[in-house]
Amino acid sequence: MQVIPDIEILDDPGRAPARGRAGASWKPEELDRARTTSMEAEGHRRVYIETYGCQMNVSDSEIVASVLRENGFGLTRNEEEADVVLLNTCAIRENAEQKVRRRLRDFRRRKRASGSAAGGPALRLGVLGCMAERLRARLLEEEQLVDLVVGPDAYRDLPRLLHETDDTGQAAVNVHLSREETYADIAPIRYDTNGVSAFVSIMRGCDNMCSFCVVPFTRGRERSRPASSILSECARLAEAGYKEVTVLGQNVNSYRFEEEGACVDFAELLRRISFVSPELRIRYSTSHPKDCSDDLLRLHRERRNVCNYIHLPVQHGNSEVLERMRRTYSREEYLALVERARALAPGISLSTDIIAGFCGETEAQHRDTLSLMEAVRYDYAYTFMYSERPDTYAARKYKDDVPEDVKKRRLGEIIALQQRISLERNQEEVGREHVALVEGESKRSDRQLCGRTDTNKMVVFDREAYATGDYVRVRITGCTSATLLGDPLGRETLLECAASAAA
Ligand code: 5AD
Ligand code: SF4
């Protein structure tokens, strides 16, 4: 029987964070769990995948689903009927790891029960992704929790590893980090059943070595996927009716690929994607301020379908802390970049990531973060309490010396300030018009739809005769700090928007 995939993200917590499903990077706290839904799988071993962490992990799970389907596995949304459970994990902060470990313990109980009750093969339990390399010894030996440990560059090996663990009864492991793997030739199975927004992974790994960050250790060296394969994937998505792609990487704007003697950088890649279809909107996530070129900034204005929004993580507002974080820019340089962005792409909306309570952070340095937020007036901020990660430069060289209660209080101040600024920014939108791409029904009422503006703001409006996937012109009539409310004025195409903007 032909296996037909049908996968969607189920849990609300991960469903519509401010940056949305394919809007930009979800943070681990926001994306609680993504699960596969059922598919025809009679006669197949059924795999249940649960995804934790960022958008890259969501995109990776789509690759895993594809690899497994190609090898005769079925997928299920129902963990109870699964023969294989795979948790695609995140290691960025300690609480993300703890969440996965709790879940693993639940499944271990089930695994024990399934083996003894049926007398047949027990449930197979696998850990994929960022926790794989770091915790393999602990997961396999000390805690005997899992049968499979597979790192982010070894997903092609999953079918073989599954057979190996079946044959030997021993755990199977591949945590090799590659310098080449980009899964360029694998057509991901989309989790997104609304058929409107999709993730497209363009690079993997990170060479930046920010002192607090574990990603370079868990995901390895930076490598870019061939531009031609990215463009073909975007073209296939546009043909299939998708209206928005978010191109993904740990640091997308250091994308670089040499093809046919020419070097394609990130701005050029985006420009090429923007010509795939005039009706395909493009977002990207996540970027590093040091690599944000003027060419890239200009593209937001020049190409109508490159969304007027950048996620530009600052991490901190004090230059000395930024230096210890190894971010390679100062407060002043960051502020100058924001000014340039607003000059080259008027009306661009900005979001950021901020860490509270990094090693050695003084009260005055914390206040510099608050004052930077006031200076930039971000539309949205993703905020975190510093969490020491093993092996990182910060863990080796600095003391995690800001007491927990102080970290919490500082984080609280950052969140409260951002809520006030987000509300004010949204209030400025009242009376303006935007074109929103409809993502689906609003959470509150089936008589309303929600969609995202070009500037990545969620807007809710009456359903009337509009449908998911429509571009709808909306006049903003009200707001909260998280959502705009609007009146729909009519369906549009992006080409029409471009024409009216030019007139
Ligand atoms: N502690 C807290 N936040 C972190 N991030 C990365 N590493 C840590 C850490 N050790 C945050 C950064 C990054 C986002 C994805 O997660 O803000 O941009
Ligand atoms: Fe981590 Fe810095 Fe790389 Fe982002 S740029 S993944 S924060 S090391």
Side-chain angles (χ1 to χ4, degrees):
M1 175 191 289
Q2 219 213 339
V3 178
I4 304 160
D6 168 22
I7 309 174
E8 80 179 335
I9 292 175
L10 291 176
D11 285 353
D12 246 2
R15 223 185 142 88
R19 268 185 281 168
R21 305 174 70 176
S25 62
W26 285 339
K27 295 300 179 258
E29 287 74 6
E30 295 159 333
L31 178 63
D32 197 21
R33 286 184 302 184
R35 300 187 217 153
T36 49
T37 66
S38 65
M39 58 187 289
E40 292 179 53
E42 286 146 42
H44 294 272
R45 284 176 83 190
R46 284 155 303 185
V47 182
Y48 170 81
I49 308 175
E50 215 167 81
T51 306
Y52 293 80
C54 64
Q55 290 165 321
M56 277 304 279
N57 268 8
V58 175
S59 172
D60 278 4
S61 289
E62 294 175 346
I63 287 164
V64 167
S66 176
V67 168
L68 290 171
R69 186 179 61 158
E70 289 298 307
N71 285 274
F73 289 86
L75 297 167
T76 175
R77 74 188 303 182
N78 181 358
E79 56 183 80
E80 302 297 328
E81 67 174 32
D83 306 299
V84 180
V85 167
L86 301 176
L87 302 191
N88 194 358
T89 63
C90 170
I92 200 137
R93 280 169 290 274
E94 200 185 343
N95 57 7
E97 283 193 3
Q98 281 167 355
K99 210 188 275 179
V100 170
R101 297 168 85 85
R102 281 196 296 273
R103 200 64 181 130
L104 275 173
R105 279 193 286 275
D106 291 346
F107 280 116
R108 185 175 58 172
R109 257 176 256 126
R110 252 201 59 206
K111 176 177 154 71
R112 288 201 176 121
S114 74
S116 50
L123 177 75
R124 295 280 172 222
L125 193 50
V127 168
L128 316 181
C130 290
M131 282 171 69
E133 155 65 23
R134 226 174 62 63
L135 291 184
R136 85 178 135 151
R138 212 163 143 191
L139 291 168
L140 292 170
E141 290 153 28
E142 281 174 46
E143 303 182 15
Q144 296 183 355
L145 279 179
V146 296
D147 307 291
L148 276 173
V149 180
V150 186
D153 290 342
Y155 297 145
R156 288 177 201 271
D157 204 18
L158 254 169
R160 186 192 69 77
L161 293 165
L162 269 164
H163 291 307
E164 184 183 308
T165 183
D166 286 342
D167 291 346
T168 63
Q170 305 284 310
V173 179
N174 185 346
V175 290
H176 173 71
L177 286 175
S178 161
R179 279 178 173 251
E180 286 94 35
E181 181 62 271
T182 58
Y183 300 112
D185 56 318
I186 292 179
I189 294 178
R190 304 291 166 194
Y191 275 65
D192 205 323
T193 52
N194 74 1
V196 173
S197 307
F199 296 130
V200 174
S201 171
I202 63 162
M203 62 178 308
R204 301 179 71 81
C206 182
D207 286 350
N208 282 332
M209 291 289 181
C210 300
S211 65
F212 50 81
C213 185
V214 78
V215 166
F217 302 92
T218 60
R219 287 192 161 262
R221 300 303 299 269
E222 208 164 273
R223 67 220 98 112
S224 295
R225 173 181 171 185
S228 51
S229 97
I230 297 168
L231 289 164
S232 319
E233 187 173 339
C234 292
R236 278 198 306 273
L237 288 165
E239 271 163 34
Y242 280 85
K243 295 288 186 64
E244 184 176 82
V245 291
T246 301
V247 300
L248 291 182
Q250 243 70 48
N251 179 19
V252 283
N253 46 7
S254 64
Y255 176 90
R256 190 159 275 275
F257 196 85
E258 282 205 28
E259 227 165 10
E260 292 163 4
C263 183
V264 179
D265 66 7
F266 183 58
E268 175 59 16
L269 177 73
L270 270 197
R271 200 186 63 78
R272 291 187 189 183
I273 298 174
S274 76
F275 283 101
V276 164
S277 159
E279 296 305 313
L280 187 70
R281 262 187 358 185
I282 303 146
R283 301 185 185 281
Y284 57 87
S285 179
T286 179
S287 56
H288 193 299
K290 78 174 164 50
D291 296 315
C292 203
S293 69
D294 287 0
D295 280 351
L296 177 61
L297 296 172
R298 268 188 224 106
L299 208 62
H300 286 274
R301 193 197 53 203
E302 286 164 8
R303 299 294 303 151
R304 175 71 225 183
N305 55 346
V306 174
C307 288
N308 213 13
Y309 162 68
I310 312 186
H311 181 62
L312 202 55
V314 66
Q315 311 296 357
H316 207 275
N318 174 272
S319 295
E320 193 207 314
V321 177
L322 285 170
E323 197 176 331
R324 277 188 288 117
M325 286 180 160
R326 297 180 139 190
R327 289 293 288 180
T328 71
Y329 52 81
S330 64
R331 172 190 175 99
E332 290 69 33
E333 284 164 340
Y334 183 91
L335 288 172
L337 172 61
V338 167
E339 208 170 295
R340 234 170 45 242
R342 288 183 168 149
L344 294 174
I348 197 157
S349 75
L350 296 174
S351 63
T352 198
D353 290 343
I354 292 176
I355 298 179
F358 186 61
C359 312
E361 184 193 64
T362 64
E363 207 54 37
Q365 289 170 334
H366 162 63
R367 282 198 299 276
D368 282 345
T369 292
L370 299 175
S371 72
L372 179 130
M373 292 168 69
E374 293 270 20
V376 176
R377 294 176 57 74
Y378 293 105
D379 293 276
Y380 194 84
Y382 296 82
T383 54
F384 311 101
M385 232 166 36
Y386 174 61
S387 158
E388 186 175 273
R389 304 282 59 212
D391 302 326
T392 56
Y393 188 86
R396 286 183 283 116
K397 301 283 182 194
Y398 308 136
K399 226 168 139 209
D400 182 11
D401 55 0
V402 178
E404 193 75 4
D405 58 330
V406 176
K407 280 185 189 173
K408 270 198 189 133
R409 194 250 308 147
R410 290 179 185 169
L411 180 66
E413 288 172 9
I414 289 169
I415 291 171
L417 173 58
Q418 185 55 47
Q419 268 178 353
R420 195 199 85 210
I421 295 172
S422 292
L423 180 62
E424 288 168 4
R425 300 286 287 167
N426 282 352
Q427 283 165 342
E428 288 162 18
E429 297 291 340
V430 175
R432 292 184 187 157
E433 289 181 17
H434 281 280
V435 173
L437 173 60
V438 181
E439 293 185 0
E441 247 167 40
S442 113
K443 271 195 230 163
R444 295 244 173 97
S445 158
D446 59 7
R447 283 176 310 180
Q448 290 193 309
L449 296 174
C450 64
R452 217 162 271 277
T453 66
D454 184 74
T455 51
N456 204 40
K457 290 182 189 262
M458 187 57 90
V459 50
V460 173
F461 54 91
D462 286 344
R463 179 189 282 269
E464 298 183 0
Y466 303 110
T468 299
D470 284 346
Y471 286 112
V472 179
R473 180 166 288 277
V474 178
R475 180 176 299 114
I476 307 306
T477 54
C479 68
T480 66
S481 66
T483 313
L484 301 175
L485 308 172
D487 284 339
L489 303 177
R491 212 171 270 119
E492 274 202 25
T493 65
L494 289 189
L495 279 177
E496 285 163 349
C497 306
S500 65

